[in-house]
Amino acid sequence: MTVLRRTGGIGAFLVERCLPVYPIYLALWVVAVESMVVVIGHSSGPWRPSWDTALKVLALNAAGAFLRMVDDQKDLDYDRVHNPDRPLVQGRITIRELRVAMVPAALIALALGAAVSVWTAVSLALILGYSLLLWWAESRVATVRDNPIVNLIAVCPAQFLATGFAMTGHPGVGDASWLQLAAVPLVFTATILHVELARKTTRLADATDLRSYSQVIGPTASGALVLLFGLFAVLVEVLLTTPWTWAGQWWPIAWLPLVAAVMPGLSAWAFFVGRVSVHPRGLPTAFVIVFYLTILGQGLIYH
């Protein structure tokens, strides 16, 4: 392992590990959830950004920084072997610095959440607390730490909590039923699972990489799950927003989420028919952005 000269401490760490993807992705997550809730809650008008939107985006980014610091610490042993260029592995930042920085990141997230509502702050506290609980579980339960499928399942509650967080505050949930609201996190969690599985699906899995999904369930099953999660997210979204009941002349935009479903199909075609060795990663990442933008489009034209 090469130990490099320290370069910028926590600021450089966050730039390297979070930018530019995190701010874009987390902002789209919030606005897409708000837009979807506007539609299923039968709002009196289209979605528009509010101060609550901005505060939630900032709070989720602060929480995201906290989670990134937690992940890099709990994955340190794994990263020493499989990701030797990470800042913590190379000594460009220390565990102590990360733990010190976690405190203001959590306080900022909670303060921003509290500015929206009590429930927003509670949701954030649950997200942060669950990440620490999972860290504790991984340090003591080998199956949770080393089996990627079990670990993936264990992470899902955090995704549900994050979507629930985005549903708090303005614009509110309108007259959406509890069943509809409970289904919204399924859309966003399935989208994340689509990306996460694609990231570690390959026909060339390193036998020493116990966290490869292909190593545990095989590349065919792993690739199939990538496709199914992407299609499932789109299907549930369309069933919840029922664009056929309100789209009218705006139908080309209202039905755009279905177009996003082409992208998981293209990824699956490349992996199964094109026989590429490593599952495409760019397309699943692009799918998240495109899919969330199509949900935003629905919210903007809902009437």
Side-chain angles (χ1 to χ4, degrees), residues 83-238:
N83 298 298
D85 60 339
R86 298 274 170 89
L88 187 58
V89 175
Q90 294 190 340
R92 288 182 280 131
I93 195 164
T94 66
I95 289 177
R96 182 180 182 278
E97 286 176 305
L98 289 178
R99 292 182 180 178
V100 168
M102 285 167 59
V103 176
L107 292 176
I108 290 170
L110 293 172
L112 290 167
V116 176
S117 74
V118 172
W119 286 113
T120 307
V122 169
S123 299
L124 278 171
L126 289 173
I127 294 169
L128 301 179
Y130 187 77
S131 71
L132 296 176
L133 177 63
L134 188 58
W135 185 6
W136 176 87
E138 288 186 21
S139 69
R140 286 164 174 76
V141 183
T143 303
V144 176
R145 180 182 64 247
D146 298 330
N147 187 307
I149 302 300
V150 173
N151 189 265
L152 195 63
I153 294 171
V155 170
C156 285
Q159 316 301 341
F160 273 72
L161 288 169
T163 300
F165 151 82
M167 294 164 67
T168 62
H170 188 82
V173 297
D175 59 3
S177 69
W178 282 106
L179 183 60
Q180 288 174 309
L181 294 175
V184 172
L186 291 176
V187 174
F188 294 88
T189 300
T191 305
I192 293 166
L193 293 176
H194 170 73
V195 177
E196 175 58 24
L197 280 161
R199 193 171 63 88
K200 291 188 178 181
T201 294
T202 174
R203 292 190 176 87
L204 303 174
D206 182 353
T208 65
D209 186 0
L210 300 178
R211 297 190 185 182
S212 167
Y213 304 113
S214 300
Q215 191 74 11
V216 177
I217 61 176
T220 299
S222 186
L225 284 174
V226 174
L227 173 63
L228 290 174
F229 276 122
L231 297 180
F232 177 80
V234 173
L235 176 62
V236 175
E237 197 281 339
V238 172

